[in-house]
Amino acid sequence: GAPRITVPLTQALPELEVATVAGVSAPAAPAKTEVTTMSNGLKIATEATHSTTASIGLYVECGSVNERSGLTHMLDKLAFTSTANRSTFRITREVEGLGATVASGAGREQMIYAIDGVRTPIPEMMEVLVDSVVNPVFNTWEVDEKRRAVLKDASELKDNAQAMLEEAVHIAGFSGGLSNPLVAPPQTLGNMETEELAEQLRANHQYNYTGSN
């Protein structure tokens, strides 16, 4: 049989030609971020890349600093659910059809809604994103489902020492809005109505959107 190779793995094999692959040079300078301000005050930050994917995020200047009842936490949970133009099922199917993923997040001073996917269907991705942010309908059954999810978050918070410490530091170190909890207090969830969510949206998500599908 063939002789056994005894060359250590840290050394090249004898008489073996290794094909060379041309390296991809790094950009000479980091991608430049351009900020454009629209006539209605909306700021759009864009960054040109050579990637085949695109990430689109919509940031809203509101968060738990604006309220104490946990409405921000609920709005985060209700992101990408039924709108005036789409059901939750349709949003899910459209996002899957676009090869995209969606995500949302809520902090003390900002909320973010995001969609990531291949860059070819950017207009369609934008349509789903904007519709989900400005046209939610807050169906009662979906609010009830997300209320249970918020209660689970509140229960898990008790087992997260670091998160509990951060909440305690904010309560002790700040007065006013910054001392408000990030996680909705369980005692407020039972009285939370869909109209309160809609009012919170109108008060802080200011827009002038006339698109339809």
Side-chain angles (χ1 to χ4, degrees), residues 77-89:
K77 291 294 184 182
L78 286 162
F80 300 102
T81 57
S82 297
T83 73
N85 304 306
R86 293 171 170 85
S87 66
T88 301
F89 178 74

Side-chain angles (χ1 to χ4, degrees), residues 80-81 83 86-95 128 132:
F80 300 102
T81 57
T83 73
R86 293 171 170 85
S87 66
T88 301
F89 178 74
R90 180 177 171 184
I91 291 174
T92 302
R93 292 300 299 269
E94 284 192 31
V95 170
V128 173
S132 298

Side-chain angles (χ1 to χ4, degrees), residues 33-36 42-47 53-61 80 100-105 110-117 122 125-134 205:
T33 302
E34 297 183 4
V35 179
T36 306
L42 178 69
K43 293 183 181 295
I44 302 176
T46 55
E47 188 174 283
T53 60
S55 298
I56 307 171
L58 197 158
Y59 291 80
V60 183
E61 290 188 358
F80 300 102
T101 58
V102 294
S104 65
Q110 279 188 335
M111 291 190 67
I112 178 175
Y113 303 83
I115 184 167
D116 302 321
I122 285 180
M125 291 164 61
M126 281 291 298
E127 170 65 24
V128 173
L129 176 65
V130 175
D131 185 35
S132 298
V133 174
V134 304
H205 294 47

Side-chain angles (χ1 to χ4, degrees), residues 20-85:
T20 58
V21 179
V24 179
S25 58
K32 182 180 179 182
T33 302
E34 297 183 4
V35 179
T36 306
T37 302
M38 308 297 288
S39 58
N40 61 358
L42 178 69
K43 293 183 181 295
I44 302 176
T46 55
E47 188 174 283
T49 68
H50 299 287
S51 173
T52 58
T53 60
S55 298
I56 307 171
L58 197 158
Y59 291 80
V60 183
E61 290 188 358
C62 77
S64 62
V65 69
N66 300 105
E67 49 86 24
R68 294 188 61 84
S69 301
L71 295 171
T72 302
H73 191 178
M74 279 292 291
L75 287 176
D76 176 27
K77 291 294 184 182
L78 286 162
F80 300 102
T81 57
S82 297
T83 73
N85 304 306

Side-chain angles (χ1 to χ4, degrees), residues 144-157:
D144 289 341
E145 177 185 353
K146 299 304 180 182
R147 183 182 285 115
R148 291 191 290 271
V150 171
L151 283 170
K152 182 180 178 181
D153 286 349
S155 177
E156 292 176 348
L157 178 66

